[in-house]
Every structure is written in structure tokens, then in C-alpha cells.
Short mmCIF file of all heavy atoms in Angstrom, two decimals:
data_model
loop_
_atom_site.label_atom_id
_atom_site.label_comp_id
_atom_site.label_asym_id
_atom_site.label_seq_id
_atom_site.Cartn_x
_atom_site.Cartn_y
_atom_site.Cartn_z
N LEU A 147 51.52 121.01 67.70
CA LEU A 147 50.64 119.87 67.48
C LEU A 147 50.28 119.14 68.77
O LEU A 147 49.47 118.24 68.74
CB LEU A 147 51.32 118.87 66.53
CG LEU A 147 51.21 119.12 65.04
CD1 LEU A 147 51.88 118.01 64.26
CD2 LEU A 147 49.82 119.33 64.57
N GLY A 148 50.83 119.49 69.87
CA GLY A 148 50.60 118.78 71.11
C GLY A 148 49.13 118.58 71.44
O GLY A 148 48.69 117.47 71.73
N LEU A 149 48.35 119.66 71.42
CA LEU A 149 46.93 119.54 71.74
C LEU A 149 46.19 118.73 70.68
O LEU A 149 45.28 117.96 71.00
CB LEU A 149 46.30 120.92 71.89
CG LEU A 149 46.76 121.73 73.10
CD1 LEU A 149 46.13 123.11 73.09
CD2 LEU A 149 46.44 121.00 74.39
N HIS A 150 46.57 118.90 69.42
CA HIS A 150 45.93 118.12 68.36
C HIS A 150 46.23 116.64 68.51
O HIS A 150 45.37 115.79 68.30
CB HIS A 150 46.35 118.61 66.98
CG HIS A 150 45.83 119.98 66.64
ND1 HIS A 150 44.50 120.27 66.59
CD2 HIS A 150 46.48 121.12 66.34
CE1 HIS A 150 44.33 121.54 66.27
NE2 HIS A 150 45.52 122.08 66.13
N GLU A 151 47.47 116.32 68.88
CA GLU A 151 47.82 114.92 69.09
C GLU A 151 47.04 114.34 70.26
O GLU A 151 46.60 113.19 70.21
CB GLU A 151 49.33 114.79 69.33
CG GLU A 151 50.14 115.07 68.08
CD GLU A 151 51.63 115.19 68.35
OE1 GLU A 151 52.03 115.22 69.53
OE2 GLU A 151 52.38 115.25 67.37
N ASP A 152 46.86 115.13 71.33
CA ASP A 152 46.05 114.67 72.46
C ASP A 152 44.61 114.43 72.02
O ASP A 152 43.99 113.42 72.40
CB ASP A 152 46.07 115.71 73.58
CG ASP A 152 47.42 115.82 74.27
OD1 ASP A 152 48.26 114.91 74.10
OD2 ASP A 152 47.62 116.82 74.98
N ALA A 153 44.08 115.35 71.22
CA ALA A 153 42.70 115.20 70.73
C ALA A 153 42.58 113.95 69.86
O ALA A 153 41.62 113.19 70.00
CB ALA A 153 42.28 116.43 69.96
N LEU A 154 43.56 113.74 68.99
CA LEU A 154 43.53 112.54 68.14
C LEU A 154 43.49 111.28 68.99
O LEU A 154 42.70 110.37 68.73
CB LEU A 154 44.76 112.50 67.22
CG LEU A 154 44.69 113.34 65.97
CD1 LEU A 154 46.03 113.32 65.25
CD2 LEU A 154 43.59 112.85 65.05
N ARG A 155 44.35 111.23 69.98
CA ARG A 155 44.40 110.05 70.86
C ARG A 155 43.06 109.83 71.54
O ARG A 155 42.52 108.73 71.55
CB ARG A 155 45.51 110.22 71.90
CG ARG A 155 45.67 109.01 72.81
CD ARG A 155 46.53 109.28 74.03
NE ARG A 155 45.85 110.26 74.88
CZ ARG A 155 46.39 111.43 75.22
NH1 ARG A 155 47.59 111.78 74.81
NH2 ARG A 155 45.72 112.27 76.00
N ASP A 156 42.50 110.90 72.09
CA ASP A 156 41.24 110.79 72.81
C ASP A 156 40.09 110.40 71.89
O ASP A 156 39.26 109.54 72.24
CB ASP A 156 40.92 112.10 73.53
CG ASP A 156 41.90 112.40 74.65
OD1 ASP A 156 42.64 111.49 75.08
OD2 ASP A 156 41.94 113.56 75.09
N TYR A 157 40.02 111.00 70.71
CA TYR A 157 38.93 110.66 69.79
C TYR A 157 39.09 109.27 69.20
O TYR A 157 38.11 108.57 68.97
CB TYR A 157 38.79 111.71 68.68
CG TYR A 157 38.22 113.01 69.19
CD1 TYR A 157 38.84 114.22 68.92
CD2 TYR A 157 37.04 113.03 69.93
CE1 TYR A 157 38.31 115.41 69.39
CE2 TYR A 157 36.51 114.21 70.40
CZ TYR A 157 37.15 115.40 70.12
OH TYR A 157 36.62 116.58 70.59
N ARG A 158 40.32 108.84 68.99
CA ARG A 158 40.55 107.45 68.53
C ARG A 158 40.06 106.47 69.60
O ARG A 158 39.42 105.46 69.28
CB ARG A 158 42.02 107.20 68.23
CG ARG A 158 42.50 107.78 66.93
CD ARG A 158 43.95 107.35 66.67
NE ARG A 158 44.61 108.19 65.74
CZ ARG A 158 44.49 108.13 64.41
NH1 ARG A 158 43.68 107.25 63.88
NH2 ARG A 158 45.16 108.96 63.63
N GLN A 159 40.35 106.78 70.85
CA GLN A 159 39.91 105.92 71.94
C GLN A 159 38.38 105.90 72.02
O GLN A 159 37.78 104.84 72.16
CB GLN A 159 40.51 106.38 73.26
CG GLN A 159 40.16 105.47 74.41
CD GLN A 159 40.83 105.88 75.71
OE1 GLN A 159 41.49 106.91 75.78
NE2 GLN A 159 40.66 105.09 76.73
N ALA A 160 37.76 107.06 71.93
CA ALA A 160 36.30 107.13 71.98
C ALA A 160 35.68 106.36 70.82
O ALA A 160 34.71 105.61 71.01
CB ALA A 160 35.84 108.59 71.94
N ALA A 161 36.25 106.51 69.63
CA ALA A 161 35.71 105.82 68.45
C ALA A 161 35.90 104.31 68.57
O ALA A 161 35.05 103.55 68.10
CB ALA A 161 36.36 106.36 67.19
N SER A 162 36.98 103.87 69.18
CA SER A 162 37.19 102.43 69.32
C SER A 162 36.26 101.83 70.38
O SER A 162 35.84 100.69 70.26
CB SER A 162 38.66 102.12 69.64
OG SER A 162 38.98 102.53 70.95
N CYS A 163 35.93 102.62 71.41
CA CYS A 163 35.00 102.15 72.44
C CYS A 163 33.56 102.12 71.94
O CYS A 163 32.78 101.26 72.33
CB CYS A 163 35.08 103.03 73.68
SG CYS A 163 36.61 102.88 74.59
N GLN A 164 33.22 103.07 71.11
CA GLN A 164 31.86 103.20 70.56
C GLN A 164 31.95 103.38 69.05
O GLN A 164 31.76 104.48 68.53
CB GLN A 164 31.16 104.41 71.19
CG GLN A 164 30.91 104.29 72.66
CD GLN A 164 29.81 103.28 72.95
OE1 GLN A 164 28.90 103.05 72.17
NE2 GLN A 164 29.90 102.66 74.11
N PRO A 165 32.23 102.31 68.30
CA PRO A 165 32.48 102.45 66.86
C PRO A 165 31.29 102.92 66.03
O PRO A 165 31.45 103.29 64.87
CB PRO A 165 32.94 101.05 66.43
CG PRO A 165 32.47 100.14 67.50
CD PRO A 165 32.38 100.94 68.76
N VAL A 166 30.10 102.92 66.60
CA VAL A 166 28.93 103.40 65.86
C VAL A 166 28.40 104.71 66.45
O VAL A 166 27.24 105.07 66.23
CB VAL A 166 27.81 102.34 65.78
CG1 VAL A 166 28.25 101.15 64.96
CG2 VAL A 166 27.36 101.92 67.17
N TRP A 167 29.24 105.42 67.16
CA TRP A 167 28.86 106.72 67.73
C TRP A 167 29.30 107.80 66.75
O TRP A 167 30.48 108.14 66.66
CB TRP A 167 29.52 106.90 69.09
CG TRP A 167 29.15 108.14 69.82
CD1 TRP A 167 27.98 108.85 69.71
CD2 TRP A 167 29.95 108.84 70.78
NE1 TRP A 167 28.01 109.93 70.56
CE2 TRP A 167 29.20 109.95 71.22
CE3 TRP A 167 31.21 108.64 71.30
CZ2 TRP A 167 29.68 110.85 72.15
CZ3 TRP A 167 31.69 109.52 72.23
CH2 TRP A 167 30.93 110.62 72.65
N PRO A 168 28.39 108.37 66.00
CA PRO A 168 28.76 109.34 64.96
C PRO A 168 29.54 110.54 65.48
O PRO A 168 30.47 111.01 64.82
CB PRO A 168 27.41 109.78 64.38
CG PRO A 168 26.48 108.69 64.69
CD PRO A 168 26.94 108.11 66.00
N THR A 169 29.20 111.02 66.65
CA THR A 169 29.87 112.21 67.18
C THR A 169 31.37 111.98 67.35
O THR A 169 32.18 112.83 66.99
CB THR A 169 29.24 112.65 68.52
OG1 THR A 169 27.86 112.91 68.31
CG2 THR A 169 29.92 113.89 69.07
N ALA A 170 31.74 110.84 67.89
CA ALA A 170 33.16 110.54 68.08
C ALA A 170 33.89 110.47 66.74
O ALA A 170 35.00 110.98 66.61
CB ALA A 170 33.34 109.22 68.84
N LEU A 171 33.26 109.87 65.75
CA LEU A 171 33.89 109.76 64.44
C LEU A 171 33.99 111.11 63.73
O LEU A 171 35.00 111.39 63.07
CB LEU A 171 33.14 108.76 63.57
CG LEU A 171 33.29 107.29 63.99
CD1 LEU A 171 32.30 106.42 63.25
CD2 LEU A 171 34.71 106.82 63.75
N VAL A 172 32.97 111.94 63.88
CA VAL A 172 33.04 113.29 63.28
C VAL A 172 34.17 114.07 63.93
O VAL A 172 34.98 114.71 63.26
CB VAL A 172 31.70 114.04 63.42
CG1 VAL A 172 31.88 115.52 63.11
CG2 VAL A 172 30.66 113.45 62.50
N ARG A 173 34.25 114.01 65.25
CA ARG A 173 35.30 114.75 65.97
C ARG A 173 36.69 114.21 65.62
O ARG A 173 37.64 114.97 65.50
CB ARG A 173 35.07 114.69 67.48
CG ARG A 173 33.79 115.30 67.94
CD ARG A 173 33.78 116.81 67.74
NE ARG A 173 32.61 117.41 68.33
CZ ARG A 173 31.56 117.82 67.66
NH1 ARG A 173 31.52 117.71 66.35
NH2 ARG A 173 30.53 118.36 68.27
N LEU A 174 36.79 112.89 65.45
CA LEU A 174 38.06 112.31 65.02
C LEU A 174 38.41 112.83 63.63
O LEU A 174 39.56 113.22 63.37
CB LEU A 174 38.00 110.79 65.03
CG LEU A 174 39.23 110.05 64.53
CD1 LEU A 174 40.49 110.45 65.29
CD2 LEU A 174 39.00 108.54 64.60
N GLY A 175 37.46 112.85 62.73
CA GLY A 175 37.70 113.39 61.40
C GLY A 175 38.13 114.84 61.45
O GLY A 175 39.06 115.25 60.74
N ASP A 176 37.49 115.62 62.30
CA ASP A 176 37.86 117.03 62.45
C ASP A 176 39.30 117.17 62.95
O ASP A 176 40.06 118.00 62.44
CB ASP A 176 36.92 117.74 63.42
CG ASP A 176 35.49 117.86 62.91
OD1 ASP A 176 35.26 117.66 61.69
OD2 ASP A 176 34.61 118.16 63.74
N ALA A 177 39.66 116.37 63.94
CA ALA A 177 41.01 116.43 64.49
C ALA A 177 42.05 116.00 63.45
O ALA A 177 43.11 116.61 63.32
CB ALA A 177 41.11 115.56 65.74
N LEU A 178 41.73 114.96 62.69
CA LEU A 178 42.64 114.51 61.62
C LEU A 178 42.82 115.61 60.58
O LEU A 178 43.93 115.86 60.12
CB LEU A 178 42.11 113.24 60.97
CG LEU A 178 42.23 111.97 61.81
CD1 LEU A 178 41.30 110.89 61.28
CD2 LEU A 178 43.67 111.49 61.83
N ALA A 179 41.73 116.26 60.23
CA ALA A 179 41.81 117.34 59.24
C ALA A 179 42.69 118.48 59.75
O ALA A 179 43.50 119.02 59.01
CB ALA A 179 40.41 117.84 58.89
N ARG A 180 42.53 118.83 61.02
CA ARG A 180 43.35 119.91 61.59
C ARG A 180 44.83 119.55 61.61
O ARG A 180 45.68 120.44 61.54
CB ARG A 180 42.88 120.23 63.01
CG ARG A 180 41.63 121.05 63.03
CD ARG A 180 41.29 121.53 64.44
NE ARG A 180 39.91 121.90 64.49
CZ ARG A 180 38.93 121.13 64.97
NH1 ARG A 180 39.20 119.95 65.48
NH2 ARG A 180 37.68 121.56 64.96
N CYS A 181 45.11 118.26 61.70
CA CYS A 181 46.51 117.81 61.69
C CYS A 181 47.03 117.60 60.28
O CYS A 181 48.17 117.21 60.08
CB CYS A 181 46.64 116.52 62.50
SG CYS A 181 46.47 116.78 64.27
N GLY A 182 46.18 117.82 59.28
CA GLY A 182 46.61 117.71 57.89
C GLY A 182 46.40 116.35 57.26
O GLY A 182 46.76 116.15 56.10
N ASP A 183 45.82 115.40 57.98
CA ASP A 183 45.57 114.07 57.43
C ASP A 183 44.17 114.04 56.81
O ASP A 183 43.24 113.45 57.35
CB ASP A 183 45.73 113.00 58.51
CG ASP A 183 45.78 111.60 57.95
OD1 ASP A 183 45.48 111.42 56.74
OD2 ASP A 183 46.12 110.68 58.71
N LEU A 184 44.04 114.71 55.68
CA LEU A 184 42.74 114.89 55.06
C LEU A 184 42.16 113.60 54.49
O LEU A 184 40.94 113.41 54.51
CB LEU A 184 42.83 115.97 53.98
CG LEU A 184 43.26 117.35 54.49
CD1 LEU A 184 43.45 118.31 53.33
CD2 LEU A 184 42.26 117.90 55.49
N ASP A 185 43.01 112.72 53.99
CA ASP A 185 42.51 111.45 53.46
C ASP A 185 41.87 110.62 54.57
O ASP A 185 40.78 110.06 54.39
CB ASP A 185 43.64 110.65 52.80
CG ASP A 185 44.09 111.25 51.49
OD1 ASP A 185 43.22 111.69 50.71
OD2 ASP A 185 45.30 111.29 51.25
N GLU A 186 42.53 110.54 55.70
CA GLU A 186 41.99 109.76 56.83
C GLU A 186 40.74 110.44 57.39
O GLU A 186 39.81 109.77 57.83
CB GLU A 186 43.05 109.58 57.91
CG GLU A 186 42.67 108.57 58.96
CD GLU A 186 42.51 107.15 58.44
OE1 GLU A 186 43.14 106.79 57.44
OE2 GLU A 186 41.72 106.40 59.05
N ALA A 187 40.72 111.77 57.37
CA ALA A 187 39.53 112.49 57.81
C ALA A 187 38.34 112.11 56.93
O ALA A 187 37.24 111.86 57.44
CB ALA A 187 39.77 113.99 57.76
N CYS A 188 38.55 112.03 55.63
CA CYS A 188 37.48 111.63 54.71
C CYS A 188 36.94 110.25 55.04
O CYS A 188 35.74 110.01 54.99
CB CYS A 188 37.96 111.68 53.26
SG CYS A 188 38.14 113.35 52.60
N VAL A 189 37.84 109.34 55.40
CA VAL A 189 37.42 107.99 55.78
C VAL A 189 36.47 108.05 56.98
O VAL A 189 35.43 107.39 57.00
CB VAL A 189 38.65 107.10 56.08
CG1 VAL A 189 38.22 105.78 56.71
CG2 VAL A 189 39.45 106.86 54.82
N CYS A 190 36.81 108.86 57.98
CA CYS A 190 35.96 109.00 59.16
C CYS A 190 34.59 109.55 58.78
O CYS A 190 33.56 109.04 59.23
CB CYS A 190 36.61 109.90 60.19
SG CYS A 190 38.01 109.17 61.03
N TYR A 191 34.58 110.59 57.97
CA TYR A 191 33.30 111.19 57.59
C TYR A 191 32.44 110.21 56.80
O TYR A 191 31.22 110.17 56.98
CB TYR A 191 33.54 112.47 56.78
CG TYR A 191 34.26 113.55 57.55
CD1 TYR A 191 35.36 114.19 57.02
CD2 TYR A 191 33.84 113.93 58.82
CE1 TYR A 191 36.03 115.19 57.72
CE2 TYR A 191 34.51 114.92 59.53
CZ TYR A 191 35.60 115.54 58.97
OH TYR A 191 36.26 116.52 59.67
N LEU A 192 33.05 109.40 55.95
CA LEU A 192 32.28 108.41 55.19
C LEU A 192 31.75 107.30 56.11
O LEU A 192 30.66 106.77 55.87
CB LEU A 192 33.13 107.83 54.07
CG LEU A 192 33.44 108.80 52.93
CD1 LEU A 192 34.40 108.17 51.93
CD2 LEU A 192 32.16 109.27 52.25
N GLN A 193 32.49 106.97 57.16
CA GLN A 193 31.99 106.00 58.14
C GLN A 193 30.75 106.54 58.83
O GLN A 193 29.78 105.82 59.05
CB GLN A 193 33.07 105.68 59.18
CG GLN A 193 34.18 104.81 58.66
CD GLN A 193 35.27 104.61 59.70
OE1 GLN A 193 35.56 105.48 60.52
NE2 GLN A 193 35.88 103.44 59.68
N VAL A 194 30.79 107.81 59.17
CA VAL A 194 29.62 108.44 59.81
C VAL A 194 28.44 108.41 58.86
O VAL A 194 27.31 108.07 59.26
CB VAL A 194 29.93 109.89 60.24
CG1 VAL A 194 28.68 110.57 60.76
CG2 VAL A 194 31.02 109.91 61.29
N LYS A 195 28.66 108.73 57.61
CA LYS A 195 27.57 108.72 56.62
C LYS A 195 26.94 107.33 56.54
O LYS A 195 25.71 107.21 56.43
CB LYS A 195 28.11 109.14 55.26
CG LYS A 195 27.06 109.18 54.19
CD LYS A 195 27.66 109.55 52.85
CE LYS A 195 26.64 109.33 51.75
NZ LYS A 195 27.25 109.33 50.43
N ALA A 196 27.75 106.28 56.63
CA ALA A 196 27.22 104.92 56.57
C ALA A 196 26.40 104.58 57.82
O ALA A 196 25.41 103.85 57.75
CB ALA A 196 28.37 103.93 56.41
N ILE A 197 26.81 105.12 58.97
CA ILE A 197 26.11 104.86 60.23
C ILE A 197 24.84 105.69 60.34
O ILE A 197 23.80 105.20 60.73
CB ILE A 197 27.04 105.17 61.43
CG1 ILE A 197 28.23 104.22 61.45
CG2 ILE A 197 26.27 105.11 62.75
CD1 ILE A 197 29.35 104.66 62.37
N ASP A 198 24.96 106.97 60.01
CA ASP A 198 23.84 107.91 60.16
C ASP A 198 23.84 108.90 59.01
O ASP A 198 24.43 109.97 59.09
CB ASP A 198 23.96 108.65 61.50
CG ASP A 198 22.80 109.58 61.76
OD1 ASP A 198 21.86 109.64 60.93
OD2 ASP A 198 22.81 110.27 62.80
N PRO A 199 23.17 108.53 57.91
CA PRO A 199 23.18 109.40 56.73
C PRO A 199 22.51 110.76 56.94
O PRO A 199 22.62 111.63 56.10
CB PRO A 199 22.45 108.59 55.66
CG PRO A 199 21.83 107.45 56.34
CD PRO A 199 22.44 107.29 57.68
N LEU A 200 21.86 110.95 58.07
CA LEU A 200 21.22 112.23 58.36
C LEU A 200 22.10 113.14 59.21
O LEU A 200 21.67 114.25 59.56
CB LEU A 200 19.87 112.02 59.05
CG LEU A 200 18.84 111.25 58.23
CD1 LEU A 200 17.56 111.04 59.04
CD2 LEU A 200 18.54 111.95 56.92
N GLU A 201 23.31 112.71 59.52
CA GLU A 201 24.23 113.52 60.32
C GLU A 201 24.88 114.57 59.42
O GLU A 201 25.73 114.25 58.58
CB GLU A 201 25.30 112.63 60.96
CG GLU A 201 26.44 113.37 61.63
CD GLU A 201 25.98 114.36 62.67
OE1 GLU A 201 25.32 113.96 63.63
OE2 GLU A 201 26.29 115.56 62.49
N PRO A 202 24.50 115.84 59.56
CA PRO A 202 24.99 116.86 58.63
C PRO A 202 26.48 117.15 58.73
O PRO A 202 27.10 117.52 57.74
CB PRO A 202 24.17 118.10 58.99
CG PRO A 202 23.74 117.88 60.40
CD PRO A 202 23.58 116.40 60.55
N MET A 203 27.06 116.96 59.91
CA MET A 203 28.46 117.32 60.08
C MET A 203 29.40 116.42 59.28
O MET A 203 30.50 116.83 58.93
CB MET A 203 28.84 117.32 61.55
CG MET A 203 28.11 118.41 62.36
SD MET A 203 28.18 120.06 61.62
CE MET A 203 29.91 120.43 61.79
N CYS A 204 28.96 115.19 58.95
CA CYS A 204 29.83 114.34 58.13
C CYS A 204 29.94 114.90 56.72
O CYS A 204 31.01 114.84 56.10
CB CYS A 204 29.37 112.89 58.15
SG CYS A 204 27.84 112.53 57.29
N TYR A 205 28.87 115.48 56.21
CA TYR A 205 28.91 116.07 54.87
C TYR A 205 29.74 117.35 54.85
O TYR A 205 30.52 117.58 53.93
CB TYR A 205 27.48 116.35 54.38
CG TYR A 205 26.66 115.10 54.22
CD1 TYR A 205 25.79 114.70 55.22
CD2 TYR A 205 26.77 114.31 53.08
CE1 TYR A 205 25.03 113.53 55.09
CE2 TYR A 205 26.02 113.15 52.93
CZ TYR A 205 25.16 112.77 53.95
OH TYR A 205 24.43 111.62 53.80
N PHE A 206 29.56 118.15 55.88
CA PHE A 206 30.33 119.39 56.00
C PHE A 206 31.83 119.09 56.11
O PHE A 206 32.65 119.66 55.40
CB PHE A 206 29.84 120.17 57.22
CG PHE A 206 30.54 121.47 57.43
CD1 PHE A 206 30.26 122.56 56.65
CD2 PHE A 206 31.49 121.60 58.44
CE1 PHE A 206 30.91 123.78 56.84
CE2 PHE A 206 32.15 122.80 58.64
CZ PHE A 206 31.86 123.89 57.84
N GLY A 207 32.18 118.16 57.01
CA GLY A 207 33.59 117.80 57.19
C GLY A 207 34.18 117.18 55.93
O GLY A 207 35.31 117.50 55.55
N PHE A 208 33.42 116.30 55.29
CA PHE A 208 33.90 115.65 54.07
C PHE A 208 34.16 116.68 52.98
O PHE A 208 35.21 116.65 52.32
CB PHE A 208 32.88 114.60 53.61
CG PHE A 208 33.33 113.81 52.42
CD1 PHE A 208 34.28 112.82 52.55
CD2 PHE A 208 32.78 114.04 51.17
CE1 PHE A 208 34.69 112.07 51.45
CE2 PHE A 208 33.17 113.30 50.07
CZ PHE A 208 34.14 112.32 50.21
N ALA A 209 33.22 117.60 52.79
CA ALA A 209 33.39 118.62 51.76
C ALA A 209 34.60 119.50 52.05
O ALA A 209 35.38 119.80 51.13
CB ALA A 209 32.13 119.48 51.66
N ASN A 210 34.80 119.89 53.30
CA ASN A 210 35.96 120.71 53.64
C ASN A 210 37.27 119.96 53.44
O ASN A 210 38.26 120.53 52.97
CB ASN A 210 35.86 121.21 55.09
CG ASN A 210 34.97 122.41 55.20
OD1 ASN A 210 34.88 123.22 54.28
ND2 ASN A 210 34.29 122.54 56.32
N ALA A 211 37.28 118.68 53.80
CA ALA A 211 38.49 117.88 53.61
C ALA A 211 38.80 117.73 52.12
O ALA A 211 39.95 117.87 51.69
CB ALA A 211 38.34 116.51 54.28
N ARG A 212 37.78 117.46 51.32
CA ARG A 212 37.99 117.33 49.87
C ARG A 212 38.44 118.65 49.26
O ARG A 212 39.28 118.67 48.35
CB ARG A 212 36.70 116.86 49.18
CG ARG A 212 36.23 115.47 49.59
CD ARG A 212 37.08 114.35 49.06
NE ARG A 212 37.19 114.34 47.64
CZ ARG A 212 36.44 113.64 46.79
NH1 ARG A 212 35.49 112.85 47.26
NH2 ARG A 212 36.63 113.72 45.51
N LEU A 213 37.91 119.75 49.77
CA LEU A 213 38.34 121.07 49.33
C LEU A 213 39.83 121.25 49.63
O LEU A 213 40.61 121.72 48.79
CB LEU A 213 37.52 122.16 50.00
CG LEU A 213 37.81 123.60 49.61
CD1 LEU A 213 37.48 123.82 48.14
CD2 LEU A 213 37.03 124.55 50.48
N GLY A 214 40.23 120.84 50.84
CA GLY A 214 41.64 120.94 51.22
C GLY A 214 42.55 120.05 50.37
O GLY A 214 43.72 120.37 50.16
N LEU A 215 42.00 118.95 49.87
CA LEU A 215 42.78 118.07 49.00
C LEU A 215 42.84 118.59 47.57
O LEU A 215 43.55 118.04 46.73
CB LEU A 215 42.15 116.66 48.99
CG LEU A 215 42.32 115.86 50.28
CD1 LEU A 215 41.43 114.63 50.27
CD2 LEU A 215 43.79 115.46 50.46
N GLY A 216 42.08 119.63 47.29
CA GLY A 216 42.10 120.21 45.95
C GLY A 216 41.14 119.54 44.99
O GLY A 216 41.26 119.70 43.77
N ASP A 217 40.18 118.79 45.53
CA ASP A 217 39.24 118.09 44.68
C ASP A 217 38.17 119.00 44.09
O ASP A 217 37.50 118.63 43.13
CB ASP A 217 38.56 116.96 45.46
CG ASP A 217 39.53 115.84 45.80
OD1 ASP A 217 40.60 115.76 45.16
OD2 ASP A 217 39.22 115.05 46.70
N TYR A 218 37.98 120.17 44.67
CA TYR A 218 37.01 121.14 44.16
C TYR A 218 37.75 122.39 43.74
O TYR A 218 38.70 122.81 44.38
CB TYR A 218 35.99 121.53 45.23
CG TYR A 218 35.23 120.37 45.81
CD1 TYR A 218 35.33 120.05 47.15
CD2 TYR A 218 34.40 119.60 45.02
CE1 TYR A 218 34.63 118.99 47.68
CE2 TYR A 218 33.68 118.53 45.53
CZ TYR A 218 33.80 118.24 46.88
OH TYR A 218 33.11 117.20 47.40
N LYS A 219 37.31 122.97 42.65
CA LYS A 219 37.97 124.18 42.16
C LYS A 219 36.95 125.26 41.95
O LYS A 219 35.84 125.08 41.70
CB LYS A 219 38.72 123.89 40.90
CG LYS A 219 39.84 122.91 41.16
CD LYS A 219 40.61 122.62 39.91
CE LYS A 219 41.64 121.58 40.34
NZ LYS A 219 42.50 121.10 39.47
#
């Protein structure tokens, strides 16, 4: 998890510096998902959707996270 933890730290910092930067939030969601924190990843993806509803990666990430949570069968 070392590299994932580093990525989480870096993306959290980027998101806190630029809270309306969709790319940072999508990447943070991706890193959270890779670390198994799918609920928190969903929160990030929904934040991106609120900021930029045309950002396709928030929908892709959200769907994958929900799939991992078992919400789709």
C-alpha cells in the first residue's frame, strides 16, 4: 500500500488546494477505490459531478465503485 498511500496523500493535498478542480477529485476517488475505500471514492466522484456534470470519468469511477460495493448485479 505504500505507493497508494503516497498517492492518497498527494491527491488529498491537491484537492484541498484546488477544491473545484475535477481532475484532482477524480484521481483522489481512483486512489481511494484502489485502497478499498469505495464509499469515500463515491463521495469524491459525486463532488466532481456537482462541479462538472460533463466530466465522464466521475460517472465511470462512480459506477465501478458501486459495482465493487455490490450495488449492481
Side-chain angles (χ1 to χ4, degrees):
L147 277 182
L149 292 177
H150 291 300
E151 290 170 351
D152 291 344
L154 279 174
R155 182 193 65 238
D156 293 345
Y157 288 129
R158 284 185 200 280
Q159 183 177 5
S162 70
C163 290
Q164 295 288 331
V166 294
W167 184 27
T169 301
L171 289 169
V172 166
R173 298 293 187 257
L174 176 56
D176 293 345
L178 287 162
R180 283 188 199 99
C181 289
D183 192 349
L184 299 174
D185 288 319
E186 191 63 28
C188 286
V189 170
C190 288
Y191 297 130
L192 290 175
Q193 286 176 327
V194 174
K195 181 182 170 195
I197 295 165
D198 183 2
L200 298 178
E201 171 55 59
M203 295 310 293
C204 70
Y205 296 97
F206 181 76
F208 184 75
N210 279 328
R212 296 288 303 265
L213 183 64
L215 289 168
D217 291 342
Y218 303 117
K219 296 180 182 180

